[in-house]
Amino acid sequence: MAANPPSLLNATCPVNVSDHERIVLGHGSGGKLTAALIADTFLPAFANPILERMDDQAVVEFGPERLAFTTDSFVVTPIFFPGGDIGSLAVHGTVNDLAMAGARPLYLAAAFILEEGLAREDLRRVVASMGQAARDCGVQVVTGDTKVVNRGQADRIFITTTGVGLVPAGVTVSANRARPGDHILLSGTMGDHGMAILSQREGLEFEAAIASDTAPLYPLVAEMLAAAGREPGGTDAIRCLRDPTRGGLATSLHEIAASSGVAMRVRQQAIPVRETVASACELLGIDPLYVANEGKLVAVVAPEASERVLAAMCAHPLGRGACRIGEVAAAARAQVLLETEIGGTRLLDTLFHEQLPRIC
Amino acid sequence: MAANPPSLLNATCPVNVSDHERIVLGHGSGGKLTAALIADTFLPAFANPILERMDDQAVVEFGPERLAFTTDSFVVTPIFFPGGDIGSLAVHGTVNDLAMAGARPLYLAAAFILEEGLAREDLRRVVASMGQAARDCGVQVVTGDTKVVNRGQADRIFITTTGVGLVPAGVTVSANRARPGDHILLSGTMGDHGMAILSQREGLEFEAAIASDTAPLYPLVAEMLAAAGREPGGTDAIRCLRDPTRGGLATSLHEIAASSGVAMRVRQQAIPVRETVASACELLGIDPLYVANEGKLVAVVAPEASERVLAAMCAHPLGRGACRIGEVAAAARAQVLLETEIGGTRLLDTLFHEQLPRIC
């Protein structure tokens, strides 16, 4: 393996996961098993330093500019849910992965795997929603592909969206730049997307329906970068950005901790969770910190810039509930520490098995 | 709809295909139903002039260079077949779509949808094959995604590969540049890939096994572009390039005819088909001109450059069987004319229903 080894795996994978000789749902969880699958199977086959950075997007030199490049398959079920559908989700998820590199999203590719028998009207709705989401994000779907498989060999519709964007000169946002003393900011409530999907799937009814938070985050990121400004060395005062999707906030914090070799200390009481989401989580025995979000971000920011950035977030419609949830600390090993409501501190581990399959 | 309407659809879609209120396999055939689905559902939703060019890849302005961008989902079954597997196919198919724009392939994104229960060893083999194919092509897989769906909601493994490449300054290859008098060149035998898949699937045994022709075409394209050179106006003497994959040679010729508003006249006797492939096609009642290839290309070349280009093709391992199969002619409507072996001429139509599902 080349330079820049994925320390993520050393830090978060103490158990032996090579026992699994068949794929299990946990391999798609975004947690330990996914990390092990990537380390065991994908990284050796594709060995290159860009992939080994293990970011959610690749940033590659491209003439005078840098190109950001990211791909995601969407297999969410149901395909229509409160607050969105698989089409808008596929656009938002991909432009958000670009935005987390500080990149301006430009173009999308969309590949469809359709199950024989899918209603044309459902496809039309999904695709219209993708088109609307793309226009809202200022991106264009410029190429695509369609495959149809026999009935029973897929589940209605799977969409793979791939995005390219431009990283403005000088932008240095990356998961490996968190330093002790940095502040950890969160843009809003946790768990809305995953619990919206799960509530609909399980037929749960709450007094107030839970809606997905699916939304494009680049406009918020642009405001944050402008407010933060540069440090004396010329680097961005915003050090890391992540959208806590599959695996939730706990997983995003772990990824930053592992990539930067630091501890992330967060306060449970500071992490906003809607009351309906909290109730649904309690009912189903799920921890909202592991539940997917599709319109939220976590930022690690130099302490001097933290107040300015938080003000910029609160001034933006997608950051209205923004708050500081903790700080980065030095640590002998990468870890995530949660100060609980009763005053204790516990380690937040990464997911091992799949908690919520097919939520994105 | 914006400029540059897809005349493809007017030219090749005389039947009413909106009857289908559910997706049928033919929507994935690459033929009439696919074209209708794209026109009816995808183009209106994503309306933009780059997509409406209806090329197999998007070429977008990107700083001083142009970026080529293409995506394909691979759902081939079986996933291992004589001559290749879904992994090498996913790399070759994507770099070939870039090469057909004259672009040098640079980076790939790979998104996996895995069925719960897939053997890890099969995944390892597929991914190792992708890695090898990428190295052979000089491209890097720099980003990716993995989703796992429940058993019975996918068929083992689906791979979506997306590629970006650079189009060298001045390259003008495009499906809309064919002109009357141009020569039509083909790089080798037709039907090998599709019949390799189908023979294995149907358990057919022939004296000599049929192997897929899956291979990366950019090195051949680079030799051809160099040999062809530029015309007095500065445009490439190679006017159009297509890899006749799903839908076969007939479909590629139709796409060029429709895009350029010309007739493509080809001679059946000049089109090379291996004896084993011809036998298998006859046995199964399949026309080899509609069968997918994964390592062949068809080129439309200015007549003055035709001999040079053909010599360059024959000198390359992937063009050893290259030959001239016909010429471009003026026509009131876009069409493909086949001079048959018995001296007649017939119209080669596009596919309506799926002939060979899941061959790529």
Side-chain angles (χ1 to χ4, degrees):
Chain A
M1 215 112 83
N4 204 351
S7 56
L8 172 62
L9 304 165
N10 307 326
T12 63
C13 204
V15 291
N16 180 2
V17 289
S18 64
D19 297 347
H20 291 278
E21 279 311 310
R22 297 200 166 265
I23 294 295
V24 298
L25 286 170
H27 284 120
S29 67
K32 276 195 179 61
L33 281 173
T34 305
L37 178 67
I38 291 169
D40 173 75
T41 302
F42 296 116
L43 287 184
F46 304 143
N48 69 69
I50 304 170
L51 183 64
E52 284 155 11
R53 271 179 227 145
M54 297 282 287
D55 279 324
D56 285 339
Q57 72 299 111
V59 174
V60 299
E61 299 295 329
F62 212 84
E65 302 273 6
R66 285 169 302 158
L67 183 83
F69 186 35
T70 188
T71 194
D72 266 302
S73 289
F74 293 86
V75 299
V76 63
T77 181
I79 60 176
F80 302 103
F81 48 82
D85 56 67
I86 191 172
S88 55
L89 187 65
V91 171
H92 295 156
T94 297
V95 299
N96 288 352
D97 276 344
L98 295 174
M100 294 308 114
R104 185 161 61 89
L106 289 179
Y107 298 109
L108 294 184
F112 299 85
I113 298 174
L114 307 177
E115 185 189 10
E116 183 189 19
L118 173 71
R120 286 290 295 269
E121 183 49 29
D122 286 343
L123 179 61
R124 257 180 233 118
R125 276 178 69 193
V126 165
V127 169
S129 168
M130 284 185 84
Q132 188 57 50
R135 283 186 293 279
D136 293 346
C137 298
V139 298
Q140 293 182 309
V141 179
V142 292
T143 191
D145 182 51
T146 310
K147 294 291 189 310
V148 179
V149 299
N150 302 78
R151 204 182 289 260
Q153 298 184 334
D155 189 12
R156 301 181 73 188
I157 177 167
F158 299 149
I159 305 176
T160 302
T161 37
T162 306
V164 294
L166 270 184
V167 186
V171 166
T172 57
V173 174
S174 173
N176 64 10
R177 289 191 58 244
R179 299 182 219 167
D182 284 353
H183 293 185
I184 305 170
L185 310 182
L186 189 63
S187 68
T189 55
M190 290 290 97
D192 301 65
H193 174 73
M195 295 318 291
I197 300 295
L198 204 65
S199 300
Q200 192 175 350
R201 210 152 69 193
E202 305 289 313
L204 300 181
E205 282 181 35
F206 300 98
E207 277 177 46
I210 302 173
S212 168
D213 58 351
T214 181
L217 292 166
Y218 179 70
L220 174 62
V221 169
E223 296 288 329
M224 290 169 65
L225 284 169
R230 296 275 155 83
E231 299 184 281
T235 51
D236 281 298
I238 293 181
R239 301 217 159 107
C240 324
L241 289 171
R242 273 282 206 246
D243 55 336
T245 55
R246 186 171 47 159
L249 178 64
T251 302
S252 290
L253 294 175
H254 259 286
E255 289 169 355
I256 295 171
S259 195
S260 295
V262 294
M264 307 286 280
R265 295 190 72 97
V266 295
R267 288 175 290 281
Q268 186 159 30
Q269 275 190 296
I271 300 169
V273 180
R274 268 179 228 283
E275 214 172 300
T276 45
V277 171
S279 305
C281 282
E282 209 174 303
L283 193 68
L284 296 166
I286 289 171
D287 183 339
L289 300 189
Y290 291 91
V291 177
N293 311 277
E294 295 288 349
K296 302 288 159 50
L297 62 81
V298 57
V300 175
V301 182
E304 308 80 50
S306 168
E307 262 184 59
R308 301 198 289 281
V309 174
L310 194 54
M313 291 170 80
C314 291
H316 191 279
L318 291 177
R320 230 179 269 131
C323 51
R324 174 172 158 192
I325 60 166
E327 296 78 31
V328 179
R333 61 172 285 207
Q335 56 188 2
V336 180
L337 295 161
L338 184 74
E339 290 177 22
T340 62
E341 282 169 11
I342 53 165
T345 298
R346 67 174 174 93
L347 276 172
L348 263 191
D349 205 354
T350 49
L351 280 182
F352 183 66
H353 285 296
E354 181 67 289
Q355 185 175 240
L356 301 173
R358 301 190 56 189
I359 39 76
C360 62
Chain B
M1 214 111 83
N4 203 351
S7 59
L8 173 63
L9 304 165
N10 306 327
T12 62
C13 206
V15 291
N16 180 1
V17 289
S18 64
D19 298 346
H20 291 277
E21 278 313 309
R22 296 201 165 263
I23 294 294
V24 297
L25 286 171
H27 285 120
S29 67
K32 275 195 180 58
L33 281 172
T34 305
L37 178 67
I38 292 169
D40 173 75
T41 303
F42 295 116
L43 287 184
F46 303 143
N48 68 70
I50 304 170
L51 182 64
E52 284 155 10
R53 272 179 226 145
M54 297 280 287
D55 279 324
D56 285 338
Q57 73 298 110
V59 174
V60 299
E61 300 295 330
F62 211 84
E65 303 271 8
R66 286 170 301 160
L67 182 82
F69 186 36
T70 187
T71 195
D72 266 302
S73 289
F74 293 85
V75 298
V76 63
T77 182
I79 60 176
F80 302 102
F81 48 81
D85 56 68
I86 191 172
S88 55
L89 187 66
V91 171
H92 296 156
T94 298
V95 298
N96 288 351
D97 276 344
L98 295 174
M100 294 308 113
R104 185 162 60 89
L106 289 178
Y107 299 109
L108 294 183
F112 298 84
I113 298 174
L114 308 178
E115 185 189 12
E116 184 189 16
L118 173 70
R120 287 290 293 271
E121 182 51 29
D122 287 343
L123 179 61
R124 257 180 234 119
R125 274 177 70 193
V126 165
V127 169
S129 167
M130 285 186 82
Q132 188 58 50
R135 284 187 292 279
D136 292 346
C137 299
V139 298
Q140 293 183 308
V141 178
V142 293
T143 191
D145 183 50
T146 309
K147 294 291 189 309
V148 179
V149 299
N150 301 78
R151 205 181 289 260
Q153 296 183 335
D155 189 11
R156 302 181 73 191
I157 177 168
F158 299 149
I159 305 176
T160 302
T161 37
T162 307
V164 294
L166 270 184
V167 186
V171 166
T172 57
V173 174
S174 172
N176 64 9
R177 290 192 57 243
R179 299 183 219 164
D182 284 354
H183 292 186
I184 305 170
L185 310 182
L186 189 63
S187 69
T189 55
M190 289 291 98
D192 300 66
H193 175 74
M195 295 317 291
I197 300 296
L198 204 65
S199 301
Q200 191 176 351
R201 209 151 72 195
E202 303 291 313
L204 300 181
E205 282 181 33
F206 299 97
E207 278 177 47
I210 302 172
S212 168
D213 57 352
T214 180
L217 292 167
Y218 178 69
L220 173 62
V221 168
E223 297 286 330
M224 290 168 64
L225 284 169
R230 298 274 156 85
E231 299 185 281
T235 51
D236 281 298
I238 293 182
R239 301 217 159 105
C240 324
L241 289 171
R242 272 281 207 249
D243 55 336
T245 55
R246 188 170 46 159
L249 178 64
T251 303
S252 290
L253 293 174
H254 258 287
E255 288 169 356
I256 295 170
S259 195
S260 296
V262 295
M264 308 287 278
R265 295 190 73 98
V266 295
R267 289 174 289 280
Q268 187 159 28
Q269 274 190 295
I271 299 169
V273 180
R274 268 179 228 282
E275 213 172 301
T276 44
V277 171
S279 305
C281 283
E282 211 175 301
L283 193 68
L284 298 166
I286 289 169
D287 184 339
L289 301 189
Y290 291 91
V291 176
N293 312 277
E294 294 288 349
K296 301 290 160 49
L297 62 80
V298 58
V300 175
V301 182
E304 308 78 52
S306 168
E307 262 184 58
R308 300 198 288 282
V309 174
L310 194 55
M313 292 170 80
C314 290
H316 192 279
L318 290 177
R320 230 178 268 132
C323 50
R324 175 172 158 193
I325 59 166
E327 295 78 32
V328 178
R333 63 173 284 212
Q335 56 188 3
V336 180
L337 295 161
L338 183 74
E339 290 177 22
T340 61
E341 283 168 10
I342 52 165
T345 298
R346 68 177 175 91
L347 275 172
L348 264 191
D349 205 354
T350 48
L351 280 182
F352 183 66
H353 284 296
E354 179 68 285
Q355 185 176 241
L356 301 174
R358 300 190 57 190
I359 39 75
C360 61

